[in-house]
Amino acid sequence: MIDAHLHLWDPQRLSYDWLKHVPSIAGRHGPEEWARRQAEPRQAVFVQADCAPEQTLNEVDWVSGLDRSPLQILGVVAFAPLEEGEAVRPLLRQLKQRPLVCGVRRSVQNEAPGFISSAAHIEGLVASAEEGLSLDLCARDHQLPELIEALDALFAAAPHSRVVLDHLGKPDIAVGKGDIRHSDWAANLEHLAKRPQVFAKLSGLTTQDDWAEGRDEALRPYIDHALTCFGPSRLMYGGDWPVAELARGGLSRWRTLFDIATARLSNAERALIRHETARGFYRLPPV
């Protein structure tokens, strides 16, 4: 099994301003802690953890140099300031010199309206695709219409772009409580899935619900809808650790929910979500 969405951080090495808002997970989280907590998976894709933007290369180098015995990092999705447009290309080429880097992410979940569809941001998306890097997109449910607009422009300029939607577009489960029509999430996800270049991660759902009182049954409709829209060949499992520890039951609860929701699938379909989709999308090396 491959965890397609894993974070690691060390505040003694790098700066993470956002961690001050979540003190319960603000300490170091490295592969040694993962090994103590998890029986599996032992392979993962590291996704940038929003350290200070100027520390992008330092983050990649730190993760690439970690001991791989307890946790094998197969690929790295690095931060890139895509809003710089064409000016981001030199950084992209520096990132490509790091063997583990397979993609980039510029989280837009907290950006103002107009950021995602701005000409400069789209130019940065296009530059990344032209450099052969995949694109992780982290946006909230109310931003999906603007994301759809940006992707139309991206695919017109770079038809062979590879895009994955983190956390299923972050539906507001705490408010929707299982109603997938809330904020037009279901319709927008279906719209995104019509584009064959777009994949999605089954990840990050428990923290979209109420952290303390979230109900397991409220999450199932979102997973089922994603399976209907994308199918196993364009879905991948992500644990979103250690952020997942903010919600009741932490990562172990999410793993249980994931296993239950995918139990009806065939062995071949489960294999796609558990490892094959991620391996193909990120072009991970055989192991």
Side-chain angles (χ1 to χ4, degrees):
M1 186 172 188
I2 296 173
D3 187 333
H5 203 96
L6 175 81
H7 301 295
L8 302 169
W9 55 71
D10 185 350
Q12 297 301 312
R13 288 177 172 267
L14 303 170
S15 300
Y16 308 85
D17 183 68
W18 66 277
L19 286 178
K20 66 187 179 186
H21 302 294
V22 283
S24 64
I25 60 170
R28 174 187 163 92
H29 287 78
E32 68 287 344
E33 184 178 353
W34 174 265
R36 286 195 298 269
R37 290 169 175 259
Q38 301 300 316
E40 67 162 323
R42 295 297 195 203
Q43 297 178 328
V45 174
F46 168 83
V47 177
Q48 59 89 208
D50 280 340
C51 63
E54 64 272 16
Q55 297 176 331
T56 297
L57 296 175
N58 302 88
E59 182 180 48
V60 172
D61 292 341
W62 172 64
V63 171
S64 299
L66 291 171
D67 181 2
R68 298 191 185 187
S69 56
L71 174 66
Q72 186 176 17
I73 302 296
L74 300 178
V76 167
V77 176
F79 170 82
L82 302 184
E83 69 275 23
E84 293 181 3
E86 184 63 28
V88 77
R89 201 179 288 266
L91 174 61
L92 298 177
R93 290 176 176 170
Q94 284 184 285
L95 289 169
K96 287 172 59 180
Q97 293 173 7
R98 273 74 175 170
L100 287 181
V101 172
C102 54
V104 293
R105 181 175 85 155
R106 171 47 164 103
S107 178
V108 298
Q109 62 180 337
N110 296 322
E111 298 299 338
F115 181 95
I116 300 172
S117 58
S118 69
H121 182 246
I122 293 171
E123 192 175 74
L125 292 171
V126 172
S128 301
E130 289 178 344
E131 292 294 333
L133 295 163
S134 66
L135 291 156
D136 266 60
L137 298 178
C138 186
R140 301 185 188 276
D141 55 5
H142 67 273
Q143 297 173 304
L144 294 184
E146 188 178 350
L147 182 63
I148 290 169
E149 179 185 346
L151 290 182
D152 284 344
L154 168 65
F155 296 143
H160 300 296
S161 304
R162 291 172 293 127
V163 171
V164 61
L165 184 66
D166 293 346
H167 316 320
L168 295 185
K170 305 198 80 168
D172 192 346
I173 301 172
V175 174
K177 301 184 186 303
D179 181 3
I180 63 175
R181 297 167 299 177
H182 176 74
S183 196
D184 291 328
W185 175 82
N188 286 325
L189 195 78
E190 185 174 354
H191 199 86
L192 284 165
K194 291 178 180 178
R195 295 153 171 79
Q197 307 99 317
V198 179
F199 291 63
K201 291 183 183 179
L202 293 175
S203 62
L205 296 185
T206 54
T207 47
Q208 288 304 114
D209 200 358
D210 184 278
W211 290 357
E213 300 179 2
R215 298 177 302 164
D216 294 357
E217 59 269 25
L219 274 63
R220 182 64 181 268
Y222 301 91
I223 300 173
D224 288 346
H225 188 60
L227 284 166
T228 298
C229 290
F230 286 95
S233 65
R234 287 195 288 148
L235 288 174
M236 57 191 86
Y237 166 79
D240 197 27
W241 185 84
V243 179
E245 298 303 325
L246 293 170
R248 177 180 64 82
L251 181 58
S252 60
R253 173 177 168 237
W254 168 239
R255 275 296 309 277
T256 298
L257 290 170
F258 168 79
D259 288 341
I260 292 172
T262 57
R264 64 180 174 84
L265 302 177
S266 68
N267 289 339
E269 289 171 328
R270 285 197 300 273
L272 285 168
I273 300 174
R274 288 169 62 91
H275 51 85
E276 292 302 330
T277 300
R279 192 178 300 283
F281 176 85
Y282 284 117
R283 298 175 179 171
L284 302 176
V287 293

